[in-house]
Amino acid sequence: MAKVLEDVRVLEMGTFITGPAAGMLLADLGADVVKIENPEAGDPFRAFKGGLYSPHFQTYNRNKKSITLNSKLPEDLAALDRLVADADVFIQNFRPGVADRLNVDPARLQAINPRLIYCSISGFGATGPDRKRPAFDTVAQAASGFLRLLINPKHPRVIGPAIADSITGFYAAYGILGALHERERTGRGRLVEVSMLEAMCHFNLDDFTHYFSAGQVMGPYSRPNVSQSYVFQCADDGWIALHMSSPAKFWEALADVVGRPDMLSLPEFADRNARINNYDGVVAFLAPIFRTRDRADWQAALAAREVPSSPVYASNEALQTEQARLLEIEIAGEHPETGPFRTIRSPVSFDGERARTVVPPPVLGEHNEEILGRPAWRAAAE
């Protein structure tokens, strides 16, 4: 794939997800991303599953280099300052105040390099009563109103992946790209700030817009009801998802596929509003029918009639479809120490060119010799 950011050098002092996710997005576009880690154990995500190369760490750190520095030590701080002088972007996701203690606050680094785009990611923002509250994915989802939309009221529990962490990383990269573009005109850097709370409030925009414009407080079933989205269990216990939206042709085709052409004459199927108001009744009618055939049979029949649907795949199934293989969504690389590395490529193509190659995540301090001129153990020994 075209490396559209190949002339951009990024220094990332990120840990866990938000900072590393932002760095990875830039690295996927070709930026030279140097991950600066604690000499003792590096990014804490490294050790989440034994060793220093956990799946958690691998997820957000491909296409990067790793060096180890302790910015509290004069020699290491001097080495960091030399890197800052030539860098385009600096990313950190510390709690407010920590960057100052580590000598990597924006004022000091931008005094070294006025062109530096400095990105600071926090949980609740740099000011205010909650600025130093610990913020993790679930906390940000809950504080922004988003988690409420995912919870089954009858069985409340947290579900799903780390959405807030990843989304905040996306917004950080988005802000950095905007600042880089502006710098082409002004020649000066920017302080880019994003908090998990702000990111998730913006991501939850539909919920807030309904409240602002119609006084409606959405719940976990609001969007599925309106969008006419369903999941049904099939005879082989596989699940299939349907997104029926509003066109009548989808429902007419579905009625034929399930063998109930009379279905649309029933009160709960009469029109879109009837289906929304009787969502549970629609589910109760269709669920037993879908239990009569296997998932593959249903999907073939639904696809033949162009009913918007898909099997609910697990990760070990999703990449095995003909379409996923055609799109080359899975890519692989080889690390000289850790061996094969498989991942999902960037979804962005440029002039039809996809990202077909990947550099596996680095081991701790892998690039110390290349970038700092010293082996990985030196900073730790000091």
Side-chain angles (χ1 to χ4, degrees), residues 51-67:
L52 294 177
Y53 206 69
S54 72
H56 306 80
F57 173 81
Q58 292 179 42
T59 301
Y60 302 100
N61 289 284
R62 67 192 186 195
N63 292 325
K64 299 180 185 178
K65 300 173 181 177
S66 169
I67 62 173

Side-chain angles (χ1 to χ4, degrees), residues 3-22:
K3 297 184 180 298
V4 294
L5 294 182
E6 65 180 348
D7 59 343
V8 174
R9 168 163 272 199
V10 178
L11 304 180
E12 177 211 299
M13 286 187 85
T15 59
F16 296 106
I17 298 179
T18 56

Side-chain angles (χ1 to χ4, degrees), residues 263-286:
M263 182 176 78
L264 301 184
S265 65
L266 300 175
E268 59 265 43
F269 289 91
D271 55 29
R272 179 173 179 270
N273 287 332
R275 292 189 294 270
I276 291 173
N277 294 330
N278 295 280
Y279 185 89
D280 289 342
V282 172
V283 171
F285 181 90
L286 291 172

Side-chain angles (χ1 to χ4, degrees), residues 252 254-264 266 285-286 289:
E252 292 164 1
L254 178 63
D256 287 340
V257 170
V258 301
R260 289 297 303 267
D262 62 322
M263 182 176 78
L264 301 184
L266 300 175
F285 181 90
L286 291 172
I289 298 175

Side-chain angles (χ1 to χ4, degrees), residues 199-227:
M200 286 309 295
C201 282
H202 189 273
F203 188 67
N204 195 24
L205 190 58
D206 185 50
D207 183 15
F208 287 113
T209 302
H210 277 76
Y211 172 67
F212 294 150
S213 65
Q216 177 187 354
V217 177
M218 298 178 72
Y221 302 118
S222 298
R223 190 201 69 85
N225 284 19
V226 172
S227 65

